[in-house]
Amino acid sequence: TVELGRAECLPLFHAPSKSPRPGAVSVVVWPARDVQHPDAPLPDARELTEVCAWLDRWRLVTTELYVIPPTYRRIAIAVAVKVAPGYGLDAVRDWVETLLRQYLAPLPPYGPDGRGWPLGRRLLGRELEGVTMQVEGLEYIEALRVDVAHTLADGSEQWTAASVIEFEGWQLPTVAAVTVVSADTPLPPPGSGLAPP
């Protein structure tokens, strides 16, 4: 038996070509738990096979059915904050990271609406400022930057800053790193100190 944390149906989505096709249906599934990838859970081959076998009993003969894992795009967040008197940067840093990771998480009860980050929903840097400002002990945000990874032909990553990150209808973000520094410290350059995927 398979314990899923979430499943999404993409009607008319032909998973192999990542394009629309009449009669095709793709179902994206997330396991309830993934010890190896807690922030970006991925189903294993057995889970995909079992879900596909169960759905196959109910599909129309003419329907092309694909059961697929989620596709993540790696992002990194760097934020410079002014901590209120009486609060320590370390405690504020931990809370900022926790809240940002929960807001961008793929599984319920997290995400913007409590159902996990929606597939294909764009990400705005300024909405992360609003999330960050919920942290107790934070006086203001000096700067916040969101970086997104682009995979190059040789398999390496190139990181660029973006105020808006667009996702394809089958993609969602995964947080590679959250860097929190004090307001008088410059933000590190995009992608610095990040481990490869």
Side-chain angles (χ1 to χ4, degrees), residues 122-143:
R122 69 181 180 165
L123 171 62
L124 306 174
R126 66 178 175 267
E127 74 185 287
L128 298 184
E129 291 181 14
V131 173
T132 303
M133 282 306 299
Q134 296 174 33
V135 173
E136 185 180 347
L138 195 64
E139 207 167 281
Y140 61 82
I141 296 170
E142 179 70 27

Side-chain angles (χ1 to χ4, degrees), residues 64-85:
E64 274 185 84
L65 174 66
Y66 299 93
V67 178
I68 59 174
T71 302
Y72 296 100
R73 287 189 68 194
R74 285 174 26 110
I75 67 163
I77 304 159
V79 58
V81 298
K82 171 69 171 150
V83 176

Side-chain angles (χ1 to χ4, degrees), residues 89-181:
L89 179 61
D90 287 342
V92 168
R93 178 185 292 123
D94 291 346
W95 276 111
V96 167
E97 179 165 1
T98 297
L99 279 183
L100 288 172
R101 286 187 182 277
Q102 288 177 349
Y103 186 74
L104 295 160
L107 295 181
Y110 303 117
D113 59 6
R115 295 183 295 186
W117 188 269
L119 286 173
R121 181 189 186 280
R122 69 181 180 165
L123 171 62
L124 306 174
R126 66 178 175 267
E127 74 185 287
L128 298 184
E129 291 181 14
V131 173
T132 303
M133 282 306 299
Q134 296 174 33
V135 173
E136 185 180 347
L138 195 64
E139 207 167 281
Y140 61 82
I141 296 170
E142 179 70 27
L144 185 144
R145 192 187 69 234
V146 183
D147 304 324
V148 62
H150 305 277
T151 305
L152 304 178
D154 63 1
S156 65
E157 285 182 325
Q158 180 179 5
W159 289 84
T160 57
S163 56
V164 179
I165 300 173
E166 301 285 350
F167 294 96
E168 299 289 349
W170 63 90
Q171 295 177 327
L172 67 168
T174 182
V175 180
V178 177
T179 304
V180 181
V181 297

Side-chain angles (χ1 to χ4, degrees), residues 29-45 47 69-70 72 74 101 104-107 172-175 196-197:
V29 295
W30 291 258
R33 278 171 298 289
D34 183 348
V35 177
Q36 289 184 311
H37 314 98
D39 291 334
L42 292 167
D44 60 28
E47 291 166 327
Y72 296 100
R74 285 174 26 110
R101 286 187 182 277
L104 295 160
L107 295 181
L172 67 168
T174 182
V175 180

